[in-house]
Amino acid sequence: MTPISLTGIKPTGNPHIGNYFGMYKPAISLTEKYLGMYFIADYHALTSLHDPKELNQLVYEVAASWLALGLNLERSIFFRQSDIPEIPELTWILSCFTAKGLLNRAHAYKAAIDRNTETDRDPDDGINAGLFYYPVLMAADILLYNSDVVPVGLDQKQHIEITRDIADAFNRTYGKTLKLPEGVIQEDVQSIPGIDGRKMSKSYDNTIPIFAPEKQLRKQVMRIVTDSRTPDEPKDPDTCNLFGVYKFFATPERLAEVRQQYLQGGLAYGALKQELADLVLAYFATAREKYDTLIADRSYLDQVMRDGAEKARAVGKPVLARVRKAVGID
Ligand code: TRP
């Protein structure tokens, strides 16, 4: 059987080129070796997002983004977490094997407590139990499908460890029932500088969005911060964030040429930005077209997610059945 690689995606809209090279591209290429299971973690989003319209809109934006950026539906299963009724059931069962202390030590919960303590509030002020349970829900996501590997960023490493702890506690009670997953921590993912030179991130408002209207995309590229050197002056490409972005899109030959221009003098930032904007638009041309079509067709996206959920449930049901049997409620 093809091993399973599982990825949960928090619904946030407006993917940018940093997301593409850091997450979408590596995740999509995993389908060469694994059966990729990709789901939109809308139950997780509900711990902090309480606007129904926004939540729903974001789910469609994420779905359209993944499909537009090349997720192959023949080699993967794409679905929405809340379409899987087995998930809340498994979450509950697993919670009965989760040491409360383990959740007390979870980074996100601890950080929320710390913020309250620092501002002299009650430690649990404004913290819902869903946030506290977040790691258990995530363990259910992973364990329901017997996932082999879970590619995640470093910030999710603890969640994988908690998942393994929970599965282990269950297995120690009932014998080997759940598969312990391996976290694949993507530490060295290529990171693209944002237009201000910091890491590209929505929270810094320094992104180049993939699916924005052309004019807006070009504007962001033109806003990339550079120093005040004139075209004639020699410059260091390796400390220039314009070059840092450019190198993801140019051919090796053109890149070598531009590098020389930086070093010898003769490079105008404005012209290079224009060229970069053209390259970005060309690179994502197909994806951008697809996105526009997909985002306007909710019924198609619904159908994709429904089909995905059906396949995911077929993988998950036997596992839940084993769990129910093990605990004695089958
Ligand atoms: N917590 C993950 C994040 O914030 C999203 C997620 C939910 C997830 N369930 C998952 C990731 C299961 C991997 C596996 O990015």
Side-chain angles (χ1 to χ4, degrees), residues 7 11 28 36 41 50 64 87 105 119 137 158 183 211 217 245-246 254 263 285 311-312 325 330:
T7 306
I28 288 172
H50 293 171
I87 286 293
R105 290 189 293 277
T119 47
L137 177 58
Q158 189 195 31
F211 300 121
L217 196 154
V245 179
Y246 181 76
R254 179 69 187 130
L263 297 170
K311 290 186 197 154
K325 188 157 195 275
D330 60 326

Side-chain angles (χ1 to χ4, degrees), residues 30-44:
L30 277 170
T31 57
E32 287 156 23
K33 275 206 237 136
Y34 293 93
L35 169 62
M37 297 189 71
Y38 303 84
F39 66 91
I40 305 174
D42 51 355
Y43 277 147
H44 278 107

Side-chain angles (χ1 to χ4, degrees), residues 6-10 39 41 44 81 134 137-139 141-142 150-152 155-156 159-160:
L6 177 113
T7 306
I9 309 144
K10 281 277 266 304
F39 66 91
H44 278 107
Q81 182 185 34
Y134 189 109
L137 177 58
M138 188 156 156
D141 286 333
I142 296 170
V150 186
V152 287
D155 63 322
Q156 297 295 314
H159 286 146
I160 308 292

